[in-house]
Structures are given as structure tokens and as C-alpha cells.
Amino acid sequence: MGSRCPPRPAAPLRPVPVPVLVPVLAALAAGAAEARATSEGQLPGAAAMGTGTPPSPSGTAFEETRLHVFTLDYPHVQIPFEITLWILLASLAKIGFHLYHKLPSIVPESCLLILVGLLLGGIIFGAEEKSPPVMNSDVFFLYLLPPIVLDAGYFMPTRLFFENFGTIFWYAVVGTLWNAIGIGISLYGICQISAFGLTDITLLQNLLFGSLISAVDPVAVLAVFENIHVNEQLYILVFGESLLNDAITVVLYNLFKSFCQMRTIKVIDIFAGIANFFIVGIGGVLIGILLGFVAAFTTRFTHKIRVIEPLFVFLYSYLSYITAEMFHLSGIMAITACAMTMNKYVEENVSQKSYTTIKYFMKMLSSVSETLIFIFMGVSTVGKNHEWNWAFVSFTLLFCLIWRALGVFVLTQIINVFRTIPLTFKDQFIIAYGGLRGAICFSLVFLLPPAVFPRKKLFITAVIVVIFFTVFIQGITIRPLVEFLDVKRSNKKQPAVSEEIYNRFFDHVKTGIEDVCGHWGHNFWRDKFKKFDNKYLRRLLIRENQPKSSIVSLYKKLEIKHAIEMAESGMISKVPSSGSLSEYHEGKIKPLSPTEMENMREILTKNLYQIRHRTMSYNRHSLAADANEKQAKEILIRRRHSLRESLRKTNSLSRERPAAANTKRFLSLPKNTKLPEKLRVRNKTSSRVGDSSDSELDAATTVLNLRPRAGKILRDQRLRQQRPLPEFRVEWKNEVDGSQDGRGEQQEPSTLPQPSIGFRQPLLTRPRFGTLSREDLTADHGPARPMPPPRLVRQASQGERQRNKPENQPY
Amino acid sequence: MGSAHSVPAEMRELADRTGFTSEQIEHLHRRFKQLSQDQLTIRKENFDSIPDLEFNPIRGKIVHAFFDKRNLRQESDGLVDEINFEDFLTIMSYFRPIEMNMDEEQLDRFRKEKLKFLFHMYDSDHDGKITLQEYRNVVEELLSGNPHLEKESARSIADGAMMEAASICVGQMGPDQVYEGITFEDFLKMWQGIDIETKMHVRFLNMETIAHCY
């Protein structure tokens, strides 16, 4: 950034601030001229030497050029260099804010980024005494906005979105019209007061201004709302509205702009405008859906070339955006529709790794764009393109707030009649308050042609004030307000398997009841679509010969099968491995581990009748935690397979199995010398020690996570058998085939817990004798020690095990 | 009561008891007649004529719920063979959305009623407990749509869920303690985090504009 030229985000496509561009263009022109000169100069040189010998690369034709040891050719790299620096700066700023962990919870990141931008703008302004570069609107609309919208669309909680679609649509379309017209007309009223010196602003110009100022910005809204965790419904309303109303705003803006440029406006123009309005929106959506299907269809064939798989997602969605823009349709709608359409199918076609890549890359792009947008907004604010007028600016702000609040209130009264769950007053307040303006208004106002709008500078100032007010004041106070009003938050708790089951169950009950009533509710349409989807779309778009479930869930299935197999073989031999039993016992009443939970949820989400994805909350900056885990698991599959094979081999020798299993486990230890460390890490992350994985390879986590469950079932059965109470027996009868078997092995389980408390050595040595557990049965059974509560047992054994580990290694 | 719905007084009484508006009752009555083929009662076979219900994996449970005496607010236990319109309305009223003017106590009762209905769907042997086997059946039915999954997975999922239920409801258990099944109290506990009163409703029931669907 050391050059005279101010840094620019990208190629100077449109000279907005002409004085700023001059040095850039001059430098470019000079570079180009130079290059031309050399190439032209070389050509005659080569021609002159054209006696058959090729020209030497050092350019011998020119005597005066010497080989330079060190040259500086900044203009050559200027543009990419500066882009890189800007992105780097933005990312570094982001890191900086998160160093102090409390800061993001007080001040939204967007505010801080704008502040950094303001600072930079001030520096540039001070150093060069002219307006720093303005965010070029082409750059914004063609490069910075698409990633954000793509990200939002791709990770959109689809189901929630469609459940509230009516309300969102209502707010976005009617609300934006209401705001635009309301603000425009009331500002026109203010302009009529001659004391303010605004009488030269016409009604149409006011309406245009109203339309651009009423755009609620998805970037700003997301930046604020994803941190405050309001309930999902409220979130999707604000977010969905901000996403959809861009399209409306852009249409209105273009409409009024062309009206402003016309001499006379006929009635037909107004109707054309209304028609245009629908074409822009619907056309955008259609393009998006079409390309979304094409994208899904393409990924059907990429299984041979996994590497470029993620690229298709980005290419097709960007294509939809620019195609829509090409036809002057709504690119935002197109890319949202495209992302939402392809998401489901792509997810099943691509490999797990590619999917992770897509997610990360998308998050990264959108995060960077967002950061850049806010910084540029700060930078562009500083400059000489302002005109301050107290009346106009403060009335703009006032009307923005009033019309927004009024609009939400009135529209909610109407929509509440149709909503099953009415929006409360608090909800309405938060929706109204969450109407943050942002970069969209900002770039739209810079796009105004100065010839038609002599007071453009005034508009710019007013827009900036509104943006800063909403982003800073509203953005910072919304969190305390949400807390103060006690708005229902989203409950972030441990995902539970039973909850998942209940929710599914629920869906089906609801659909069923609707069917019985013969009415077409939301569920009806969802069902219809699912059927159509299953019948045609999935068949067309998703690779065949692939099981419905993804690799991971398929693998889980195998694992579970294997676990049950093991449990059953244990049952048949009637002598459960004492080592494994003790493991199982520990895990008996502990809540399921996060990984286990994840596995089950995975199976549930992928395989329930007519796959219905559950809504998940959307977060811009972080991915769901499972991404890492899944990837790791996939990598480790092979290792686990081999491990499992060896385990199975040992299983077949039923008598020696415990010994084999145990020796195996300890033999495997020295290979993995870093184990204690790893264990500690795992403890930290999962807040619970892997029940049985203490001495396993880390590769075996899933195998062994599932095993204890099977074992638990087994053990529970045993426990139940040995109890005389009839009801238990009835309850468990159907899965226990021989209840008389219980007699022989009854006492084992109740006594076996003891060794697990920390007596690893006897467990280890015992099986070498070959005769299993008879002697220790009696030995352990006699003393009838007081049993600590199982939770304590676990904790005690955890601690002990960790301490024991290094000692155990020699075995 | 079946034939006398045209009498406004009776209608009002029904409306009071079930909480539906008279318009909704009319719609439902039309549907009732359609289902029962103009008879006064509906039997189980009548539900076979609903084509969309066919693919519902828990179809049996849903139909069953209509004939469950516990859901029909009858004292006794067991199943009835046929239900009249009032019973039909009673079942439907479990799916009413919440109303704005409900106070805390009403909300609580409302919630409990809905949960009770769900609980009865799980508890197929009417013993007041969802046993592991019952839970497994439910999960198996839910998963029955996917031919690639085997019963074992469904079972282990049910087992996991049961285990979870035990840990939520009982907390610490002794090593030989046995969790017999989910009682209604436990059921309530498990649903605490999910705001069922806003979820368990069928949308059209408060819509006046539904007329065009016919």
C-alpha cells in the first residue's frame, strides 16, 4: 500500500471517484505502453536476427538493457497485491477482535469492522488529502455480495423457512413497499418546507431514496442476530425478510430510477413496472432452481473425480447469479434458490470430504466478503462527498424508524390472522428493531447518476447516518433488549436421540391427522413434494447404486450390526468376556456420549421415512461441530476394519477370547505412544472419558463406542433375568430367548464390576489360565463389599486409569 | 347426537366443549360424512379410504388413536369399535393451536393434554408405561420407510433413546436398578425442552379461508 495509488479492491471497472482513479489508470496505461513498446521493439529485433537462429532470451537486440539483479515492478502486481493486502487486513482485524473473547458479545463485529474502516479511511484521507476510494458498486454486487447470499441460502434452515414462508414473503414484499412509499412520501412532505432548503428534491427522487433506504440488509442482520440466539422462528423471519427484500428493493430502485430519467410517465409505464417487478423476482427464482438441478445432476457423475466436486457448487451458483444479473433479474433470488435447490442432492452425491470442503470454503468466502464489506463501508465514509442537512438527515432517520415499526405492527396484525402461532408483541418489536440497513443501501446510493440527482451527496450522507445508527445503536442495544424483554431464546442443549425420535413421530402424526381431515395444510404440501421428490427428482439427481444413506451412516450401520453380532456371540457362548463386561458396566447409566449421539442422529436424519431434515440453526462463522469428527472417522475406517477383523478372529475362540482381547489391547498400546496425551484431549472435548477406549487405539473409538451399548443391553438383560420380579421378565422376554440360561451365569455381572474399579492386573492375568471367572466369582462374591454409586465408580476408575496407563504399557 | 348437527344449540354446545368455531365444526362434519359414507359413525375400515394416509409409516398408530378410549375422555380403558362425530371432534381438538388469550394455567393443561395424547400413542398396551419394546416398535415403524436399514439399527436407536430417558428421568441409578419404562411423568420431563404447544397443531383448524379447499 506504499504506492501513491490508493488501494483498490479490484480492477477499476467503473470510475466512480474520478480523481482517485487517475493515478491507477495512469500507472496502468504507463505499464501497458511500456509493455507494448518492448514487445514491438523486440519484434523488429527478432526479425532483424531472423537468420534462423532464435533470439536469445536476454534480449540482445537492445544494448542499453542490462540484467538487473533487483527490480521493483509494483504496477505489474499492483491490483492482486492490493486485493491480497485488503483481504489480509480484514482477516487480521477479525482475528484481533476475537482475541479478547468478551468483545464480540458486547459490540457486534460489524461495528468494529466499520470502525477499522473509518480509521483507515481517515489515514488515507489525511495522507493524500483527497477522498479515499469508494467501494465500487460493481465489485460489491458482482464479487462481494454473492458469497454471502450463497452461504445464507445453502445453509438456510429450509424447513423453517418454508413453514414461515407466507409471513416472510408478506413482510418482504408488502413491508418493503410500505417502507419505500411511506418514507418517500413523508420525506417529500418535509422537502416542501422551504425553510430547510430542500425544495429542489422531487417526489420521484424522494421515492427512489425511500426505496433504497428501506432495504434491510442480510449481512448486517446476520452479523447481529447470529450472536444473540433468539428463537429460531424469530430469526428466520428477520433473516428471510432481509434476504427476500433485496430483490424488491433492487426492482423498486431500478423502477424509480428509470422514472426519474423519463420526461413523462404514462400509466403504461407504471403497469410495466409492476410486471417487471414480478418478472424480476420469479425469473430469478426460476433460473436459480434450474441451475440448482443442473448442479445436482452434475455431481451425480463426479464420483470419479472427487477433487473438483466442490467447485461445481460454487460455479453453478455463481453462474445463476450472473445469469440472472445479465437479464436484469434478481441475482440474489437466483443464487438463494439455486443453493437451496441443490443443497440436498449435492450433499448425498458428493463424498464426505468434498462436502466438508464445500462447507468450509463457503463459510470462508462469505466471512471474508462480509468483513471486506464492512471495512470498505468505513473507508468510503470518509471523504468529501458529503452534504449535511440537519433536517433531511434527521427526518430520514426518524421516518425510517417510524415506518418500519408501523409497518411491522400493521402487517403483523394482518398476518396473525393466518398464522397458527401468532407473533407476540415482543416478537414484533424485535423484528422492527432488527431492521438494520447496510451495504446494499450504501452501494445503491453510490450508484445514483449525479446528473439526474444533483443532491446525491445529501443522499449519501443520509444513508450513511442511517446505516451507522442502525448498525451501531440498534446493533449494540439489541442484545440487552432481547435479554430485557425476555424474548424466547433458542434452547441450545445437547441434542438428544429421543428428541429426534419424538420430532419425527410428531411430523407423521400431524401429517396423518391432516390426511384424515382431508385438508391441505403445510404438511400436506410438504408430503406431496416429498413424494414427488422420492419418485422422480431423487432418482434423476442422485447417483444410483448408492444406498440412500451416505457413507458415514452406512458405516455406522455396519458398526451397529457388528456390535450386536458381538453381543449375540457373547450370549451364545454364555461366557461374556469379563473385560468387556466390566467396561460395559461402567457405561451403564451414563448419558450417551456426544459421538454416540451424533451417530444415532445421523442414522435418524438420513434414514427415517421420507427424509425430512430437521431444522438447524444457522451460523455464519462456525460449522457444526460434527464436520471434523466425520472426516476423521472416514479416514480411520480402514484401520478400524482391520482391527475389527482381528477382534472377530479372537471372538471365534470363545474360551480364550478375553485373554486375546486384552492382550491385543495392550499390545496395541506401544504403537501409539502418544496415547495419554490424546486421552486428555479427548476428555477435554467430550467432557467424558471414552468408556472403553482407554487403552484402545484412537482409531477404535467408534467400534468401542458402540460396543458398550450392545453390551449394556446384554447386561441389562442379564440383570433383569436374575431378578425374580415377574414384570421385568415379561417386559424383556421377547428378546431373551432362554430365560433359564440366566440361572447359570446370574451372579457374574453383579460381581464383575469390582475389578473395573481399578484392579486391572488380575483381569489381565486371569484369562491366561484359560478357565474363566469361576474362581474369581467365588472370590469376589464372598466379601460383599459396599458398592459405590456407579458414577463414582466411573470417575474413580477414570482417574486411576489415567494414572495407570504408563504403568500398563510394559504389558 | 350425530344427526342433529344442524341445530344451532347443539352446535354451540359442541363448539364450547371442543373449542372449535362453528365454521370449523361444519368443515369437519363434512369431512366426517365423507369418511363415514354418510353413516353416523366411523369404523376402522373407513380410514382405509384415505389414500394419503397409506404411506404414513405410523398409520396404524394414528388410526388406533382415534379409537382409543383414553383419548376419547372416557373413564374406561380399551378400544371402541366405532366413533361418532363428537368423538371425532374430540380427537381433533387435541390438535388445536394455542390461543392468544390463554393464561399460564390453561397453557399448562393444554400442553398436558397434547402430551397425553402422544403418550397414549406410544403406550400401546395401556399400562401407563412406555416399555422398551413399545419404544422399539415405534422406532421400527418410523424407520420402516428405508429398506436399507435393518431392524437392528432401529433397535439400538430405541435402546439408546431409552437409556437417555432413564438418565434424564431417574438420574443416578444403582447398578442393579432397572428402568421399567417411561411413565407419563417422565414423559413430561423429557418434553420439557420442546415447546409442544406451538408445534402440535394442525394448521387449517383455525383458518377461515379453508373453504376454497373443498
Side-chain angles (χ1 to χ4, degrees), chain A residues 514 520-530:
Chain A
E514 279 192 357
W520 293 2
H522 268 202
N523 297 330
F524 174 85
W525 282 111
R526 192 166 59 210
D527 233 40
K528 276 276 177 259
F529 174 72
K530 290 286 173 197

Side-chain angles (χ1 to χ4, degrees), chain A residues 491 498 502 516 557 607 609, chain B residues 31 55 122 146 148 164 193:
Chain A
N491 38 354
S498 45
Y502 288 146
V516 169
K557 202 176 73 183
N607 296 304
Y609 171 76
Chain B
R31 180 64 181 175
F55 301 106
Y122 278 88
N146 189 346
H148 295 288
E164 203 174 84

Side-chain angles (χ1 to χ4, degrees), chain B residues 146-159:
Chain B
N146 189 346
H148 295 288
L149 267 184
E150 283 153 49
K151 280 201 166 173
E152 276 79 28
S153 331
R155 279 176 145 216
S156 68
I157 287 172
D159 294 344

Side-chain angles (χ1 to χ4, degrees), chain A residues 688-710:
Chain A
R688 170 202 81 95
V689 77
D691 40 7
S692 55
S693 54
D694 50 349
S695 54
E696 299 291 341
L697 291 167
D698 53 348
T701 39
T702 311
V703 176
L704 290 147
N705 270 345
L706 288 166
R707 208 148 52 102
R709 198 163 56 229

Side-chain angles (χ1 to χ4, degrees), chain A residues 421 491 496-499 502 506 508 510 514-517 519 557 588-589 607 609 713 720 731 734 790, chain B residues 31 55-57 92 122 133 146 148-149 159 164 173 175 178 180 193-194 198-200 202-204:
Chain A
I421 312 154
N491 38 354
V497 175
S498 45
E499 198 185 315
Y502 288 146
F506 217 38
H508 294 306
K510 270 200 298 196
E514 279 192 357
D515 290 340
V516 169
C517 298
H519 284 292
K557 202 176 73 183
K588 189 188 166 196
I589 34 85
N607 296 304
Y609 171 76
I713 301 162
R720 252 143 264 224
E731 188 183 325
N734 34 20
Chain B
R31 180 64 181 175
F55 301 106
N56 203 317
M92 284 301 162
Y122 278 88
Q133 195 50 45
N146 189 346
H148 295 288
L149 267 184
D159 294 344
E164 203 174 84
M173 291 203 302
V178 170
E180 305 160 31
I194 312 170
T198 56
K199 275 186 183 159
M200 181 164 163
V202 176
R203 189 181 164 78
F204 56 86

